[in-house]
Amino acid sequence: MEAHQHSPDSSSEECTVLEAAPSKNACLQHAGKVADLYCSGCECALCEDCLPAHNDHPKVALSQALEQRRNRLQERLGAVQKRLPQISDALSFVKEILQQLTNQRASIEEDIQSSFEDLHKQLDVRKSVLLMELEVTFGLKQKVLQAQIDNLIRGDGDITATCTQTEEALAEEASVATLEVEHELEERLKGLAILRMPCQPEENDQLDLVMETDGLRKSIHNLGTIVTTSAVASQSEAMGNGLEQCIVGHPASVTIVTRDKSGGACKSGNAILSAEVFTPDGSIVDGEIVDHKNGTYEFVYTVPKEGDFSLALRLYDQHIKGSPFKLTITKASEVEVEVSPSTTTATNSAANATPSTGSSDGTKRRGKSPGQKKKGSKRASSALGTPRRKTQNPIEDDLIFKIGTKGRNKGEFTNLQGVAASSTGRILIADSNNQCVQIFSNEGEFKSRFGVRGRSPGQLQRPTGVAVHPSGDIIIADYDNKWVSIFTCEGKFKAKLGSGRLMGPKGVSVDQNGHVIVVDNKACTVFIFQLTGKLIAKFGSRGTGDKQFAGPHFAAVNKNNEIIVTDFHNHSVKVFTTEGELVLKFGSNGEGNGQFNAPTGVAVDVNGNIIVADWGNSRIQVFDGSGSFLSYINTSADPLYGPQGLALTSDGHVVVADSESE
């Protein structure tokens, strides 16, 4: 057999390399040597020839170092991977705000176009200016949001790529050759773990249009304003005694300072701010928010009982810094009446009733109610009820039934506000915090509900008032969206009216001409619209005068087509013609017969009697058409807690929406 011959360019050393693969732990400095130690100070593998140079350095077994490095790398990978859902949620959130901003832009552009269609040619210049202002404002806000989205996408990409590379490295067998790569990956993961990402929205989706047509020919060059702020919830903050210890029955005040993404104080108002005080039993106490038009706002509220409460302050539906706040409510020196909360309550009316189409929402103040016991008890039947005092309540008004409990499901409510009744035997309730309208039969049987939360046309953000048009359409006042929505009787969206004019609509009603009466709580003005959205008339301003309002809530219409309005903070009821002329005013602040502590709901029966929800006194009062006190509706055995909307059903009953019940 011939001996094996080497090729001319081969060597025995090369053959050795081919025949025996190097060890996976071969020393990188000394060929042929195997590393079995690791220098912790120099972060490198050592063979026996390396030891003299690292004599005084701390050393561990290489296998131990490899295992420790892998464990640290795995921990870094897990920590960084946990950030991906947070970034994904933030990305979706900011995209949603950008979409809502775009929708608002489209909606306002439509309003601008429709408003200018009725004007003369000289308005074209102003229209162009407004559209340009809209585009510039939109562009600035869009730029901020788009830049944030780009940053989030880049961060997501960097983390995903690094995590993928790390997972691939971890899938390979650990060796000296991978030490440097893994060290680099570890450093990158360490940096990504502390990388600041813009996860809170740096802009909002507000784009509003304020447009007044009164005196248009005199001020055509100043017509229209694009209203917005740069306020963000993550930077805005609250302060004041109302965040600390409060006293039962005494007003408490909180100041909210809005700030932009950099923490700079905003100098203008009109931000969309909401505030709610949650009681220990889950019910809600509202208050009034005052916009100082300088970037600061004041929230004033009154709590009816002692205990631990929670105050939620939201800017553009997002909690501001520190929200929700924990409140401690202590009792005043005098003892207040305790009442048992009720829900939507139906009682017999004082006279033959016809359906009322109005509703109301309101800030709430608890007081005392005449004839209330310290603790209400349920009646087995009307015959077993607490005897009535004939001088105060000579009418039959036993509780018939209650509708609903606190919750989010069908037939349940969270801060119910307005109520209306139709001639077809239906009761409609504006369920404010559930962003829907629920419909029941006159017997209290649940029929349907409709409403989707949002700020686009057809969606509901804070429905507070509800009414039924003679055509069957359902009219809803949306306080936070600053418009009134029109739905079919089946709950299908048709149109909206008042956008760009209304600041905070709460109560709605319908007059005998089919016109929509809107009570703007924030603007302290009553608007009258055609169903098409055309403004017919408006009257009222903020103040204490006879033709002025301070937080008006609800309206009803009598047989003379006069508009009856509850003036919440002026503690009175006022009656006007459709032209805004005052016909009648009655009521003053107090607890006596004919006095009010913040009236809310109102309805009128066929005899012209006026029924008023006296919210702060937790009672229902009945007056004749001239404003003279007639009686109370007895609620002593089944007390009310925070009566809001009132309506008269087609079968002769009074429906009361009790917002502070369970």
Side-chain angles (χ1 to χ4, degrees):
M1 177 178 251
E2 294 184 7
H4 178 70
Q5 299 293 320
H6 296 289
S7 63
D9 57 350
S10 298
S11 69
S12 61
E13 183 179 349
E14 289 174 339
C15 288
T16 302
V17 172
L18 292 173
E19 291 170 1
S23 169
K24 65 179 182 180
N25 291 333
C27 181
L28 299 178
Q29 301 295 327
H30 303 94
K33 297 294 184 177
V34 176
D36 56 2
L37 292 175
Y38 181 80
C39 179
S40 301
C42 301
E43 296 186 344
C44 63
L46 307 176
C47 69
E48 60 184 8
D49 292 347
C50 298
L51 290 178
H54 300 266
N55 187 39
D56 297 330
H57 297 179
K59 295 176 283 293
V60 297
L62 179 61
S63 59
Q64 180 183 351
L66 290 174
E67 183 179 0
Q68 290 175 347
R69 177 62 58 82
R70 280 296 176 95
N71 290 339
R72 290 198 304 270
L73 196 59
Q74 186 68 51
E75 290 175 1
R76 296 288 187 190
L77 175 63
V80 173
Q81 284 178 328
K82 289 180 180 179
R83 299 202 67 191
L84 290 175
Q86 178 188 9
I87 294 176
S88 177
D89 291 343
L91 183 60
S92 299
F93 191 20
V94 177
K95 282 183 176 180
E96 179 183 352
I97 292 177
L98 178 56
Q99 183 59 52
Q100 291 174 348
L101 177 67
T102 303
N103 292 342
Q104 285 293 93
R105 173 211 176 190
S107 176
I108 291 175
E109 185 173 9
E110 178 186 347
D111 290 339
I112 293 172
Q113 296 287 3
S114 62
S115 297
F116 276 90
E117 285 177 358
D118 296 333
L119 301 178
H120 297 289
K121 291 182 179 181
Q122 62 263 36
L123 295 178
D124 289 341
V125 173
R126 184 57 186 169
K127 180 177 71 171
S128 300
V129 171
L130 275 178
L131 290 173
M132 183 181 300
E133 185 181 346
L134 174 63
E135 288 298 325
V136 170
T137 306
F138 170 79
L140 292 174
K141 297 169 81 70
Q142 180 194 41
K143 183 178 180 180
V144 173
L145 291 171
Q146 189 61 56
Q148 185 179 4
I149 289 173
D150 293 340
N151 287 337
L152 289 170
I153 291 175
R154 281 195 298 271
D156 182 86
D158 290 345
I159 291 178
T160 301
T162 304
C163 290
T164 300
Q165 293 175 12
T166 304
E167 290 170 342
E168 291 174 354
L170 291 173
E172 298 177 2
E173 189 174 6
S175 66
V176 172
T178 64
L179 279 174
E180 184 175 353
V181 174
E182 292 179 357
H183 177 69
E184 180 183 353
L185 288 173
E186 182 181 4
E187 292 301 316
R188 287 167 61 185
L189 289 171
K190 188 186 300 182
L192 290 172
I194 61 174
L195 179 65
R196 294 186 63 183
M197 299 292 293
C199 294
Q200 291 296 324
E202 296 179 345
E203 248 299 5
N204 58 59
D205 60 348
Q206 184 185 8
L207 279 177
D208 287 334
L209 171 69
V210 175
M211 179 170 289
E212 292 287 345
T213 56
D214 292 348
L216 180 60
R217 295 185 181 277
K218 296 180 180 179
S219 57
I220 192 74
H221 59 286
N222 290 324
L223 177 63
T225 303
I226 301 298
V227 176
T228 188
T229 74
S230 294
V232 294
S234 59
Q235 296 291 335
S236 299
E237 53 193 353
M239 60 194 71
N241 294 333
L243 294 178
E244 302 169 0
Q245 191 169 2
C246 307
I247 300 176
V248 172
H250 289 251
S253 175
V254 176
T255 299
I256 300 97
V257 179
T258 56
R259 301 185 183 277
D260 60 22
K261 65 175 182 178
S262 301
C266 296
K267 302 299 184 182
S268 61
N270 297 303
I272 299 176
L273 186 71
S274 64
E276 294 171 331
V277 178
F278 293 83
T279 64
D281 57 12
S283 57
I284 296 175
V285 177
D286 277 346
E288 182 180 15
I289 297 176
V290 178
D291 184 353
H292 294 303
K293 302 299 182 182
N294 61 359
T296 67
Y297 304 79
E298 185 178 8
F299 174 57
V300 181
Y301 65 94
T302 304
V303 177
K305 56 186 177 182
E306 60 184 332
D308 295 325
F309 290 65
S310 178
L311 168 61
L313 294 172
R314 294 182 178 90
L315 182 67
Y316 301 103
D317 288 334
Q318 302 159 41
H319 284 284
I320 69 169
K321 280 184 178 180
S323 178
F325 302 92
K326 299 300 182 183
L327 308 177
T328 299
I329 312 300
T330 58
K331 205 168 187 179
S333 57
E334 68 274 14
V335 179
E336 287 200 78
V337 176
E338 293 183 6
V339 295
S340 174
S342 63
T343 41
T344 305
T345 304
T347 62
N348 290 328
S349 68
N352 295 329
T354 54
S356 168
T357 56
S359 174
S360 171
D361 158 69
T363 53
K364 311 176 182 69
R365 292 180 181 172
R366 270 291 317 283
K368 301 176 183 178
S369 174
Q372 284 187 343
K373 295 182 176 180
K374 288 192 175 182
K375 188 171 183 180
S377 58
K378 306 301 179 185
R379 306 184 209 182
S381 67
S382 61
L384 300 178
T386 304
R388 308 180 192 87
R389 289 180 287 177
K390 294 294 183 179
T391 56
Q392 287 193 356
N393 195 43
I395 62 175
E396 291 296 325
D397 51 15
D398 295 327
L399 175 71
I400 299 174
F401 59 80
K402 299 179 180 181
I403 300 172
T405 56
K406 182 177 177 60
R408 299 284 185 180
N409 300 316
K410 295 178 180 178
E412 297 177 340
F413 307 112
T414 305
N415 195 22
L416 72 170
Q417 296 289 332
V419 60
S422 73
S423 58
T424 57
R426 299 197 303 171
I427 298 171
L428 296 87
I429 298 170
D431 193 353
S432 181
N433 284 20
N434 284 334
Q435 286 87 27
C436 70
V437 169
Q438 301 203 49
I439 302 175
F440 300 82
S441 69
N442 279 356
E443 292 73 35
E445 178 185 359
F446 175 81
K447 292 297 185 181
S448 64
R449 63 181 278 179
F450 66 90
V452 177
R453 179 180 181 177
R455 297 189 179 277
S456 299
Q459 296 177 324
L460 301 175
Q461 190 65 22
R462 190 184 177 191
T464 52
V466 60
V468 181
H469 194 271
S471 65
D473 288 340
I474 299 172
I475 303 167
I476 303 172
D478 194 327
Y479 188 90
D480 283 356
N481 276 334
K482 302 180 183 180
W483 63 55
V484 173
S485 296
I486 312 296
F487 292 83
T488 67
C489 58
E490 291 82 19
K492 183 178 179 181
F493 177 70
K494 293 181 66 175
K496 66 184 176 80
L497 57 85
S499 179
R501 298 182 185 274
L502 302 175
M503 297 177 61
K506 284 199 173 180
V508 287
S509 188
V510 180
D511 70 10
Q512 295 178 8
N513 297 319
H515 296 154
V516 179
I517 313 297
V518 183
V519 180
D520 194 323
N521 171 269
K522 213 169 190 179
C524 295
T525 303
V526 175
F527 291 83
I528 305 176
F529 294 93
Q530 290 182 350
L531 203 59
T532 59
K534 182 179 180 180
L535 180 64
I536 301 298
K538 68 174 184 177
F539 58 87
S541 60
R542 182 179 296 275
T544 58
D546 288 348
K547 295 185 179 182
Q548 293 180 309
F549 302 106
H553 275 50
F554 183 82
V557 179
N558 64 19
K559 59 186 177 181
N560 297 324
N561 208 33
E562 295 167 337
I563 303 170
I564 306 167
V565 183
T566 52
D567 196 350
F568 189 84
H569 291 297
N570 285 331
H571 310 290
S572 60
V573 175
K574 298 174 181 178
V575 183
F576 297 87
T577 67
T578 54
E579 292 77 29
E581 294 299 320
L582 182 69
V583 176
L584 173 67
K585 172 188 174 183
F586 61 91
S588 60
N589 190 17
E591 300 178 2
N593 295 352
Q595 292 185 310
F596 300 111
N597 183 4
T600 50
V602 63
V604 183
D605 68 16
V606 293
N607 295 321
N609 295 323
I610 302 170
I611 305 168
V612 182
D614 188 359
W615 179 85
N617 288 324
S618 301
R619 64 189 181 185
I620 307 296
Q621 299 194 63
V622 183
F623 302 82
D624 65 17
S626 64
S628 297
F629 174 79
L630 293 179
S631 66
Y632 298 104
I633 292 181
N634 181 32
T635 58
S636 58
D638 295 281
L640 297 172
Y641 197 69
Q644 289 281 346
L646 281 182
L648 302 179
T649 67
S650 57
D651 56 356
H653 299 139
V654 176
V655 182
V656 184
D658 195 347
S659 62
E660 294 184 24
S661 60
E662 291 183 333

